[in-house]
Amino acid sequence: MPYQTIDVKPIAGALGAEIHGPDLSKPLDNQTFSEIHQAFLDHQVIFFRDQDLTPDQYMAFGSRFGAPTRYPFSTGMPGYPELFEIRKEPEEKRNFGGGWHSDGTYLETPPLGTMLYAKETPTHGGDTQWASGYAAYEALSEGMKKFLDGLIGINSAELKKSGGRENRGKMYQNMALSNLDEAGKIVAEHPLVRTHPGTGRKALYLNQAHTVCIKGWTEEESKPIIDWLCAHFVRPEFTCRFQWRPGSIALWDNRCTQHFAINDYQGQRRVMHRITMGPERPV
Ligand code: SIN
């Protein structure tokens, strides 16, 4: 679609585009917002540079995509329960989000979108990658697509593969995480292939962090197919990578992407503000 109020510059073949023009601190007119929304649907993850937003302005922009949702393992920032700070201090070794995943797949109604706003970034490193579930699905053989049709993934918040959420959570000393011992109880069933309500396109919908097995199969039986699909999902040609600067914002579509925060900036601080929005049941 031709854009009239914004400039859209794709950054990779499968997904990702930088949007130039809008000042997100100002209320956006309907035409500008509808073009940004279209760019979000067209490119799956969109990026803005040099934004200077108060928490209220940030929440106001995010809310136009759907009702803000709370991260189940944080009480949020003071006065802003849906605003969640991701912080890694110079002395910390582990980073948050350092594994391929889509946000909240263990919820009955995962958030359709996530927004991340860079407050403090390392001098270099600390990029984030995204992978397209559309590109990954569309590259499958007809035989594999037929095999996946109707299969349901069981998604857990437990993070079993990385030693359990409680243990992993304790490593992030500078983040206000809570409720970690409840993670094993948060489980949801979703199709391995979902149809995006805004585009009608099919996307792979599973991830190594949370998809523990296929419904009706044992974990042992499920593992080879989950491992293969997860490796296929993040093939380099289905990904893009974004280099942050303070003031950068990324807005991604959890319905058709996964993301991965790269942990290559030891000894430096990185602080991001995250909101998720638009709870929606995958179909
Ligand atoms: C996340 O997984 O939400 C964090 C991504 C990042 O910090 O780059």
Side-chain angles (χ1 to χ4, degrees):
M1 120 168 194
Y3 298 99
Q4 283 159 8
T5 60
I6 57 172
D7 188 22
V8 179
K9 297 232 176 315
I11 64 161
L15 79 171
E18 283 207 16
I19 310 291
H20 299 278
D23 174 353
L24 304 181
S25 69
K26 306 240 158 66
L28 298 173
D29 60 71
N30 288 341
Q31 169 78 14
T32 306
F33 178 73
S34 125
E35 292 192 10
I36 292 173
H37 188 258
Q38 189 59 47
F40 169 68
L41 294 180
D42 290 345
H43 297 281
Q44 305 157 61
V45 51
I46 54 177
F47 308 102
F48 303 88
R49 294 287 192 188
D50 305 319
Q51 300 292 326
D52 186 10
L53 305 184
T54 64
D56 284 329
Q57 290 164 340
Y58 183 41
M59 293 299 301
F61 177 61
S63 304
R64 292 192 72 170
F65 291 83
T69 63
R70 285 175 74 155
Y71 180 53
F73 304 107
S74 168
T75 49
M77 295 181 66
Y80 298 92
E82 296 98 356
L83 189 51
F84 163 52
E85 183 173 82
I86 296 175
R87 171 181 288 271
K88 181 169 180 261
E89 290 291 346
E91 68 279 8
E92 289 183 285
K93 296 285 173 254
R94 301 294 291 259
N95 74 330
F96 180 89
W100 283 107
H101 66 287
S102 171
D103 291 326
T105 60
Y106 42 80
L107 301 171
E108 290 295 330
T109 53
L112 72 85
T114 301
M115 224 173 19
L116 203 58
Y117 181 18
K119 305 303 284 183
E120 245 187 280
T121 56
T123 53
H124 53 283
D127 297 357
T128 306
Q129 284 183 287
W130 285 265
S132 168
Y134 293 146
Y137 178 76
E138 287 159 12
L140 295 173
S141 65
E142 288 310 310
M144 178 58 94
K145 287 180 185 161
K146 211 180 275 178
F147 168 76
L148 293 176
D149 193 24
L151 291 184
I152 303 291
I154 309 288
N155 295 272
S156 163
E158 176 60 2
L159 291 179
K160 235 196 254 170
K161 292 175 191 111
S162 35
R165 176 153 327 244
E166 206 171 350
N167 281 335
R168 195 170 162 87
K170 281 188 194 129
M171 294 171 193
Y172 310 123
Q173 303 118 25
N174 292 298
M175 286 174 53
L177 296 173
S178 56
N179 220 19
L180 297 166
D181 51 337
E182 294 291 299
K185 296 184 203 146
I186 309 179
V187 176
E189 299 182 2
H190 298 306
L192 291 185
V193 177
R194 67 183 289 183
T195 304
H196 194 295
T199 64
R201 291 173 75 186
K202 287 187 174 181
L204 274 185
Y205 191 63
L206 78 164
N207 62 86
Q208 276 294 6
H210 303 300
T211 313
V212 286
C213 67
I214 297 169
K215 188 175 180 182
W217 300 27
T218 65
E219 284 188 29
E220 204 179 8
E221 288 166 340
S222 308
K223 189 177 178 326
I225 185 72
I226 290 177
D227 286 352
W228 187 85
L229 287 169
C230 287
H232 168 80
F233 199 134
V234 301
R235 271 167 47 176
E237 64 272 33
F238 306 149
T239 69
C240 70
R241 177 170 174 152
F242 183 67
Q243 199 171 18
W244 298 94
R245 298 195 298 258
S248 302
I249 289 181
L251 165 61
W252 64 88
D253 192 330
N254 284 308
R255 299 166 292 188
C256 54
T257 64
Q258 286 191 65
H259 55 282
F260 184 114
I262 301 172
N263 189 15
D264 62 348
Y265 54 101
Q266 302 302 352
Q268 297 197 63
R269 178 180 294 117
R270 181 177 183 271
V271 181
M272 318 291 276
H273 286 182
R274 190 179 99 156
I275 57 176
T276 49
M277 71 296 268
E280 197 173 277
R281 185 176 302 281
V283 285

